[in-house]
Coordinates of all heavy atoms in Angstrom, one line a residue:
M1046 N 0.8 -1.2 0.0 CA 0.0 0.0 0.0 C 0.9 1.2 0.0 O 1.9 1.3 0.7 CB -0.9 0.0 1.2 CG -1.8 1.1 1.3 SD -2.7 0.9 2.8 CE -3.9 2.0 2.8
G1047 N 0.6 2.2 -0.8 CA 1.3 3.4 -0.8 C 0.5 4.6 -0.3 O -0.7 4.5 -0.1
Y1048 N 1.2 5.7 -0.2 CA 0.5 6.9 0.2 C 1.2 8.1 -0.5 O 2.3 8.0 -1.0 CB 0.5 7.1 1.7 CG 1.8 7.4 2.3 CD1 2.3 8.7 2.5 CD2 2.7 6.4 2.7 CE1 3.5 8.9 3.1 CE2 3.9 6.6 3.2 CZ 4.3 7.9 3.4 OH 5.5 8.2 4.0
R1049 N 0.6 9.3 -0.4 CA 1.1 10.5 -1.0 C 0.8 11.6 0.0 O -0.4 11.8 0.4 CB 0.5 10.7 -2.3 CG 0.9 12.0 -3.0 CD 0.3 12.1 -4.4 NE 0.5 13.4 -4.9 CZ -0.2 13.9 -5.8 NH1 -1.2 13.3 -6.3 NH2 0.1 15.1 -6.3
V1050 N 1.7 12.4 0.3 CA 1.5 13.6 1.2 C 1.0 14.7 0.3 O 1.6 15.1 -0.7 CB 2.8 14.0 1.9 CG1 2.6 15.2 2.7 CG2 3.4 12.9 2.7
I1051 N -0.2 15.3 0.7 CA -0.8 16.3 -0.2 C -0.9 17.6 0.5 O -1.3 18.6 -0.1 CB -2.2 15.8 -0.6 CG1 -3.1 15.5 0.6 CG2 -2.1 14.7 -1.6 CD1 -4.5 15.1 0.3
G1052 N -0.4 17.8 1.7 CA -0.5 19.0 2.4 C -1.1 18.9 3.8 O -1.5 17.8 4.2
R1053 N -1.2 20.0 4.4 CA -1.8 20.0 5.8 C -3.3 19.8 5.7 O -4.0 20.4 4.9 CB -1.6 21.3 6.4 CG -0.1 21.5 6.8 CD 0.1 22.8 7.5 NE -1.1 23.2 8.3 CZ -1.1 24.3 9.0 NH1 -0.1 25.1 9.1 NH2 -2.2 24.6 9.7
T1054 N -3.8 18.8 6.5 CA -5.2 18.5 6.5 C -6.1 19.6 6.7 O -7.1 19.8 6.1 CB -5.4 17.3 7.5 OG1 -4.5 16.3 7.2 CG2 -6.8 16.8 7.4
E1055 N -5.7 20.5 7.7 CA -6.6 21.6 8.0 C -6.8 22.5 6.8 O -7.9 23.1 6.6 CB -6.0 22.5 9.2 CG -5.7 21.7 10.4 CD -4.2 21.1 10.4 OE1 -3.3 21.7 9.9 OE2 -4.1 19.9 10.8
D1056 N -5.8 22.7 6.0 CA -5.9 23.6 4.9 C -6.7 23.0 3.8 O -7.5 23.7 3.1 CB -4.5 23.9 4.3 CG -3.6 24.7 5.3 OD1 -4.2 25.4 6.2 OD2 -2.4 24.7 5.2
I1057 N -6.6 21.7 3.6 CA -7.3 21.0 2.5 C -8.8 21.0 2.8 O -9.6 21.2 1.9 CB -6.7 19.6 2.3 CG1 -5.3 19.7 1.8 CG2 -7.6 18.8 1.3 CD1 -4.5 18.5 1.8
F1058 N -9.1 20.7 4.0 CA -10.5 20.4 4.4 C -11.2 21.7 4.9 O -12.4 21.6 5.3 CB -10.7 19.3 5.4 CG -10.4 18.0 4.9 CD1 -9.3 17.2 5.4 CD2 -11.2 17.4 3.9 CE1 -9.1 16.0 4.9 CE2 -11.0 16.2 3.4 CZ -9.9 15.4 3.9
R1059 N -10.6 22.9 4.8 CA -11.3 24.1 5.2 C -12.5 24.3 4.4 O -12.6 24.3 3.2 CB -10.3 25.3 5.0 CG -10.9 26.6 5.6 CD -9.9 27.7 5.6 NE -8.9 27.4 6.6 CZ -7.6 27.5 6.5 NH1 -7.1 27.9 5.3 NH2 -6.8 27.2 7.4
G1060 N -13.7 24.4 5.1 CA -15.0 24.6 4.5 C -15.7 23.3 4.2 O -16.8 23.3 3.7
Y1061 N -15.1 22.2 4.4 CA -15.7 20.9 4.2 C -15.8 20.1 5.5 O -14.9 19.5 5.9 CB -14.8 20.0 3.2 CG -14.7 20.6 1.8 CD1 -13.7 21.4 1.5 CD2 -15.7 20.4 0.9 CE1 -13.6 22.0 0.2 CE2 -15.6 20.9 -0.4 CZ -14.6 21.7 -0.7 OH -14.5 22.3 -2.0
E1062 N -17.0 20.3 6.1 CA -17.3 19.6 7.4 C -18.0 18.3 7.1 O -18.5 18.1 6.0 CB -18.2 20.5 8.2 CG -17.8 21.9 8.4 CD -18.2 22.8 7.3 OE1 -19.2 22.6 6.6 OE2 -17.5 23.8 7.0
P1063 N -18.0 17.4 8.1 CA -18.8 16.2 8.0 C -20.3 16.6 7.8 O -20.8 17.6 8.3 CB -18.6 15.5 9.4 CG -17.3 16.1 9.9 CD -17.2 17.5 9.4
R1064 N -21.0 15.8 7.0 CA -22.4 16.1 6.7 C -23.2 14.9 7.1 O -22.8 13.8 6.8 CB -22.6 16.4 5.2 CG -21.8 17.7 4.9 CD -21.9 18.0 3.4 NE -21.1 19.1 3.1 CZ -21.5 20.2 2.4 NH1 -22.8 20.3 2.1 NH2 -20.7 21.2 2.2
A1065 N -24.4 15.2 7.6 CA -25.3 14.1 8.0 C -25.7 13.2 6.9 O -26.0 13.7 5.8 CB -26.5 14.7 8.7
G1066 N -25.6 11.9 7.1 CA -25.9 10.9 6.0 C -24.9 10.7 5.0 O -25.1 9.8 4.1
L1067 N -23.8 11.4 5.0 CA -22.7 11.2 4.0 C -21.4 10.8 4.7 O -21.2 11.2 5.9 CB -22.5 12.5 3.3 CG -23.7 13.1 2.5 CD1 -23.3 14.4 1.9 CD2 -24.1 12.1 1.4
E1068 N -20.6 10.1 4.0 CA -19.2 9.7 4.5 C -18.2 10.7 3.9 O -18.3 11.0 2.7 CB -18.9 8.3 4.1 CG -19.9 7.3 4.8 CD -19.6 5.9 4.3 OE1 -18.6 5.6 3.5 OE2 -20.5 5.0 4.6
G1069 N -17.2 11.0 4.6 CA -16.2 11.9 4.1 C -16.1 13.2 4.9 O -16.6 13.3 6.0
P1070 N -15.4 14.1 4.3 CA -15.0 14.3 2.9 C -13.8 13.5 2.6 O -12.9 13.2 3.4 CB -14.8 15.8 2.9 CG -14.4 16.2 4.2 CD -15.1 15.3 5.1
F1071 N -13.6 13.2 1.3 CA -12.5 12.5 0.8 C -11.8 13.3 -0.3 O -12.4 13.9 -1.1 CB -12.9 11.2 0.1 CG -13.6 10.2 1.0 CD1 -15.0 10.1 1.0 CD2 -12.9 9.5 2.0 CE1 -15.7 9.2 1.8 CE2 -13.6 8.6 2.8 CZ -15.0 8.5 2.7
V1072 N -10.5 13.4 -0.2 CA -9.7 14.1 -1.2 C -9.1 13.1 -2.2 O -8.5 12.2 -1.8 CB -8.5 14.9 -0.5 CG1 -7.7 15.6 -1.5 CG2 -9.1 15.9 0.5
F1073 N -9.3 13.4 -3.4 CA -8.8 12.5 -4.5 C -7.5 13.2 -5.1 O -7.3 14.4 -4.9 CB -9.9 12.2 -5.5 CG -11.0 11.4 -5.0 CD1 -12.1 11.9 -4.4 CD2 -10.8 10.0 -5.0 CE1 -13.1 11.1 -3.9 CE2 -11.8 9.2 -4.5 CZ -12.9 9.7 -3.9
S1074 N -6.8 12.4 -5.8 CA -5.5 12.8 -6.3 C -5.6 14.0 -7.3 O -4.6 14.7 -7.5 CB -4.7 11.7 -6.9 OG -5.4 11.1 -8.0
N1075 N -6.7 14.1 -7.9 CA -6.9 15.3 -8.9 C -7.3 16.5 -8.1 O -7.6 17.5 -8.8 CB -7.9 14.9 -9.9 CG -9.3 14.6 -9.4 OD1 -9.5 14.6 -8.2 ND2 -10.2 14.4 -10.3
G1076 N -7.4 16.5 -6.8 CA -7.7 17.7 -6.0 C -9.2 17.8 -5.7 O -9.6 18.7 -4.9
R1077 N -10.0 17.0 -6.2 CA -11.5 17.1 -5.9 C -11.7 16.5 -4.5 O -11.2 15.6 -4.0 CB -12.3 16.3 -6.9 CG -12.3 17.0 -8.2 CD -13.1 16.4 -9.2 NE -14.5 16.6 -8.9 CZ -15.5 16.1 -9.7 NH1 -15.2 15.4 -10.8 NH2 -16.7 16.3 -9.4
I1078 N -12.7 17.2 -3.8 CA -13.1 16.8 -2.5 C -14.6 16.4 -2.7 O -15.4 17.1 -3.1 CB -13.0 17.9 -1.5 CG1 -11.5 18.3 -1.3 CG2 -13.6 17.5 -0.1 CD1 -11.2 19.4 -0.4
L1079 N -14.8 15.1 -2.4 CA -16.1 14.5 -2.5 C -16.6 13.8 -1.3 O -15.8 13.4 -0.4 CB -16.1 13.5 -3.7 CG -15.6 14.0 -5.0 CD1 -15.5 12.8 -6.0 CD2 -16.5 15.0 -5.6
Y1080 N -17.9 13.7 -1.2 CA -18.5 12.9 -0.1 C -19.2 11.7 -0.7 O -19.6 11.7 -1.9 CB -19.6 13.7 0.6 CG -19.1 14.9 1.4 CD1 -18.9 16.1 0.7 CD2 -18.9 14.8 2.7 CE1 -18.5 17.2 1.4 CE2 -18.5 16.0 3.4 CZ -18.3 17.1 2.8 OH -17.8 18.2 3.5
Y1081 N -19.3 10.6 0.1 CA -19.9 9.4 -0.4 C -21.3 9.3 0.2 O -21.4 9.4 1.5 CB -19.1 8.1 -0.1 CG -19.7 6.9 -0.6 CD1 -19.7 6.6 -2.0 CD2 -20.3 6.0 0.2 CE1 -20.2 5.5 -2.5 CE2 -20.9 4.8 -0.3 CZ -20.8 4.6 -1.7 OH -21.4 3.4 -2.2
D1082 N -22.3 9.1 -0.6 CA -23.7 8.9 -0.1 C -24.0 7.4 -0.1 O -24.2 6.8 -1.2 CB -24.6 9.6 -1.0 CG -26.1 9.5 -0.5 OD1 -26.4 8.7 0.4 OD2 -26.9 10.3 -1.0
P1083 N -23.9 6.7 1.0 CA -24.2 5.2 1.0 C -25.6 4.8 0.6 O -25.8 3.7 0.0 CB -23.9 4.8 2.4 CG -24.0 6.0 3.3 CD -23.7 7.2 2.4
R1084 N -26.5 5.7 0.8 CA -27.9 5.4 0.3 C -28.0 5.3 -1.2 O -28.6 4.5 -1.8 CB -28.9 6.4 0.9 CG -29.1 6.2 2.3 CD -30.2 7.1 2.8 NE -30.1 7.5 4.2 CZ -30.5 8.5 4.8 NH1 -31.3 9.4 4.1 NH2 -30.3 8.7 6.0
A1085 N -27.4 6.3 -1.8 CA -27.4 6.4 -3.3 C -26.3 5.5 -3.9 O -26.4 5.2 -5.1 CB -27.2 7.9 -3.8
G1086 N -25.3 5.2 -3.2 CA -24.2 4.4 -3.7 C -23.3 5.2 -4.7 O -22.7 4.7 -5.6
Q1087 N -23.3 6.6 -4.5 CA -22.5 7.4 -5.4 C -21.8 8.5 -4.6 O -22.2 8.8 -3.4 CB -23.5 8.1 -6.4 CG -24.1 7.2 -7.4 CD -24.9 8.0 -8.3 OE1 -25.9 8.6 -7.9 NE2 -24.5 8.1 -9.6
Y1088 N -20.8 9.1 -5.2 CA -20.1 10.2 -4.6 C -20.8 11.5 -5.0 O -21.3 11.6 -6.1 CB -18.6 10.3 -5.2 CG -17.8 9.2 -4.5 CD1 -17.6 8.0 -5.1 CD2 -17.1 9.5 -3.3 CE1 -16.8 7.0 -4.5 CE2 -16.3 8.6 -2.7 CZ -16.1 7.3 -3.3 OH -15.4 6.4 -2.7
W1089 N -20.8 12.4 -4.1 CA -21.5 13.7 -4.3 C -20.5 14.8 -4.2 O -19.6 14.8 -3.3 CB -22.5 13.9 -3.1 CG -23.3 15.2 -3.2 CD1 -24.2 15.6 -4.1 CD2 -23.1 16.2 -2.2 NE1 -24.6 16.9 -3.7 CE2 -23.9 17.3 -2.6 CE3 -22.3 16.4 -1.1 CZ2 -24.0 18.5 -1.9 CZ3 -22.4 17.6 -0.4 CH2 -23.2 18.6 -0.8
D1090 N -20.6 15.8 -5.1 CA -19.7 16.9 -5.2 C -20.4 18.1 -4.6 O -21.4 18.6 -5.2 CB -19.3 17.2 -6.7 CG -18.3 18.2 -6.8 OD1 -18.0 19.0 -5.9 OD2 -17.7 18.4 -8.0
P1091 N -19.9 18.6 -3.5 CA -20.6 19.8 -2.9 C -20.5 21.1 -3.6 O -21.3 22.0 -3.5 CB -19.9 19.9 -1.5 CG -18.6 19.3 -1.7 CD -18.7 18.2 -2.7
R1092 N -19.5 21.2 -4.5 CA -19.3 22.4 -5.3 C -20.4 22.5 -6.4 O -20.9 23.6 -6.6 CB -18.0 22.5 -6.0 CG -16.9 22.6 -5.0 CD -15.6 22.7 -5.7 NE -14.6 23.6 -5.0 CZ -13.5 23.9 -5.5 NH1 -13.1 23.5 -6.7 NH2 -12.7 24.7 -4.8
S1093 N -20.8 21.4 -7.0 CA -21.8 21.4 -8.0 C -23.2 21.0 -7.5 O -24.2 21.2 -8.2 CB -21.4 20.6 -9.2 OG -21.4 19.2 -8.8
D1094 N -23.2 20.4 -6.3 CA -24.4 19.8 -5.8 C -25.0 18.7 -6.6 O -26.2 18.6 -6.8 CB -25.5 20.9 -5.5 CG -26.6 20.4 -4.5 OD1 -26.3 19.5 -3.8 OD2 -27.7 21.0 -4.6
F1095 N -24.1 18.0 -7.3 CA -24.6 16.8 -8.2 C -23.8 15.6 -7.8 O -22.7 15.7 -7.2 CB -24.3 17.1 -9.7 CG -25.2 18.1 -10.3 CD1 -24.8 19.4 -10.5 CD2 -26.5 17.7 -10.6 CE1 -25.7 20.3 -11.1 CE2 -27.4 18.6 -11.2 CZ -27.0 19.9 -11.5
Y1096 N -24.4 14.5 -8.1 CA -23.6 13.2 -7.9 C -22.7 13.1 -9.1 O -22.9 13.5 -10.2 CB -24.6 12.0 -7.9 CG -25.3 11.9 -6.6 CD1 -26.7 12.2 -6.5 CD2 -24.7 11.5 -5.4 CE1 -27.4 12.1 -5.4 CE2 -25.4 11.4 -4.2 CZ -26.7 11.7 -4.2 OH -27.4 11.6 -3.0
V1097 N -21.5 12.5 -8.8 CA -20.5 12.2 -9.8 C -20.9 10.9 -10.5 O -21.1 9.9 -9.8 CB -19.1 12.2 -9.2 CG1 -18.0 11.9 -10.3 CG2 -18.8 13.5 -8.5
D1098 N -20.9 10.9 -11.8 CA -21.3 9.6 -12.5 C -20.2 8.6 -12.4 O -19.1 8.9 -12.1 CB -21.8 9.9 -13.9 CG -20.7 10.3 -14.9 OD1 -19.5 10.0 -14.6 OD2 -21.0 11.0 -15.8
H1099 N -20.6 7.3 -12.6 CA -19.7 6.2 -12.4 C -18.5 6.3 -13.4 O -17.4 5.9 -13.0 CB -20.5 4.9 -12.6 CG -21.5 4.7 -11.5 ND1 -21.1 4.4 -10.2 CD2 -22.8 4.8 -11.5 CE1 -22.2 4.3 -9.4 NE2 -23.2 4.5 -10.2
D1100 N -18.7 6.7 -14.6 CA -17.6 6.8 -15.5 C -16.5 7.8 -15.1 O -15.3 7.6 -15.2 CB -18.1 7.2 -16.9 CG -18.9 6.1 -17.6 OD1 -18.7 4.9 -17.2 OD2 -19.7 6.5 -18.5
E1101 N -17.0 8.9 -14.5 CA -16.1 10.0 -14.0 C -15.3 9.4 -12.8 O -14.1 9.7 -12.6 CB -16.8 11.2 -13.7 CG -15.9 12.4 -13.4 CD -16.6 13.7 -13.3 OE1 -17.9 13.8 -13.5 OE2 -16.0 14.7 -12.9
M1102 N -16.0 8.7 -11.9 CA -15.3 8.1 -10.8 C -14.3 7.1 -11.2 O -13.3 7.0 -10.6 CB -16.4 7.5 -9.8 CG -17.1 8.5 -9.0 SD -16.1 9.7 -8.1 CE -15.0 8.7 -7.1
A1103 N -14.6 6.3 -12.2 CA -13.6 5.4 -12.7 C -12.3 6.1 -13.2 O -11.2 5.6 -12.9 CB -14.2 4.5 -13.9
D1104 N -12.5 7.3 -13.9 CA -11.4 8.1 -14.3 C -10.6 8.6 -13.1 O -9.4 8.6 -13.1 CB -11.8 9.2 -15.1 CG -12.3 8.8 -16.5 OD1 -12.0 7.7 -16.9 OD2 -13.0 9.6 -17.1
I1105 N -11.3 9.1 -12.1 CA -10.7 9.6 -10.9 C -9.9 8.5 -10.2 O -8.7 8.7 -9.7 CB -11.7 10.2 -9.9 CG1 -12.3 11.5 -10.5 CG2 -11.1 10.5 -8.5 CD1 -13.5 12.0 -9.8
H1106 N -10.5 7.3 -10.0 CA -9.8 6.2 -9.4 C -8.5 5.7 -10.2 O -7.5 5.4 -9.6 CB -10.7 5.0 -9.1 CG -11.6 5.2 -8.0 ND1 -12.9 4.7 -8.0 CD2 -11.5 6.0 -6.9 CE1 -13.5 5.1 -6.9 NE2 -12.7 5.9 -6.2
S1107 N -8.7 5.7 -11.5 CA -7.5 5.3 -12.4 C -6.4 6.3 -12.2 O -5.2 5.9 -12.2 CB -7.9 5.0 -13.8 OG -8.3 6.2 -14.4
H1108 N -6.7 7.6 -12.2 CA -5.7 8.6 -12.0 C -5.0 8.4 -10.6 O -3.8 8.6 -10.6 CB -6.4 10.0 -12.0 CG -5.4 11.1 -11.9 ND1 -5.2 11.8 -10.7 CD2 -4.6 11.7 -12.9 CE1 -4.3 12.7 -10.9 NE2 -3.9 12.7 -12.2
A1109 N -5.8 8.1 -9.6 CA -5.2 7.8 -8.3 C -4.2 6.7 -8.3 O -3.1 6.7 -7.7 CB -6.3 7.6 -7.2
L1110 N -4.6 5.6 -9.0 CA -3.7 4.4 -9.1 C -2.5 4.7 -9.9 O -1.4 4.2 -9.5 CB -4.5 3.3 -9.8 CG -5.6 2.6 -8.9 CD1 -6.4 1.6 -9.7 CD2 -5.0 2.0 -7.7
E1111 N -2.6 5.6 -10.9 CA -1.4 6.0 -11.7 C -0.4 6.8 -10.8 O 0.8 6.6 -10.8 CB -1.8 6.8 -12.9 CG -2.4 6.1 -14.0 CD -2.9 7.1 -15.1 OE1 -2.4 8.2 -15.1 OE2 -3.8 6.7 -15.9
Q1112 N -1.0 7.7 -10.0 CA -0.1 8.4 -9.0 C 0.6 7.6 -8.0 O 1.7 7.8 -7.7 CB -1.0 9.5 -8.3 CG -1.6 10.6 -9.2 CD -0.5 11.5 -9.8 OE1 0.4 11.8 -9.1 NE2 -0.6 11.8 -11.1
L1113 N -0.1 6.6 -7.5 CA 0.5 5.7 -6.5 C 1.5 4.7 -7.1 O 2.5 4.3 -6.4 CB -0.6 4.9 -5.8 CG -1.5 5.7 -4.9 CD1 -2.6 4.8 -4.4 CD2 -0.7 6.2 -3.7
S1114 N 1.4 4.4 -8.4 CA 2.3 3.5 -9.0 C 3.6 4.1 -9.4 O 4.6 3.4 -9.8 CB 1.7 2.8 -10.2 OG 1.4 3.7 -11.2
R1115 N 3.7 5.4 -9.4 CA 5.0 6.1 -9.7 C 6.0 6.0 -8.7 O 6.0 5.8 -7.6 CB 4.7 7.6 -9.9 CG 3.9 7.9 -11.1 CD 3.8 9.4 -11.3 NE 2.9 9.6 -12.5 CZ 2.6 10.8 -12.9 NH1 3.0 11.8 -12.3 NH2 1.8 10.9 -14.0

């Protein structure tokens, strides 16, 4: 298992508090901060107030795997 240091947690999560019914916030390697909605089974983007579709999440996860494999 690998990891990547992305900065101070307080700075990254400023303005992103825990939200009722959602898990997270999670920071992805492309800089997006998303919450997971276990009822919907999808990630939610608080900036756009939309769920992220499955194809876009597949791209985000593949980008994260590429970053870790370097």
Side-chain angles (χ1 to χ4, degrees):
M1046 179 181 190
Y1048 69 93
R1049 180 176 169 204
V1050 177
I1051 55 176
R1053 291 181 30 177
T1054 305
E1055 306 87 40
D1056 296 338
I1057 294 168
F1058 288 117
R1059 184 170 290 134
Y1061 295 95
E1062 307 84 29
R1064 296 176 186 234
L1067 300 175
E1068 298 174 7
F1071 301 103
V1072 178
F1073 290 90
S1074 61
N1075 64 354
R1077 289 184 72 179
I1078 298 176
L1079 304 173
Y1080 293 84
Y1081 183 72
D1082 184 347
R1084 289 187 205 157
Q1087 291 182 294
Y1088 284 90
W1089 176 71
D1090 187 348
R1092 291 180 147 188
S1093 66
D1094 195 26
F1095 286 105
Y1096 286 106
V1097 179
D1098 66 28
H1099 294 287
D1100 292 335
E1101 189 174 353
M1102 282 309 300
D1104 290 341
I1105 291 170
H1106 285 151
S1107 68
H1108 182 263
L1110 290 174
E1111 288 175 20
Q1112 294 293 320
L1113 289 173
S1114 66
R1115 289 185 184 179

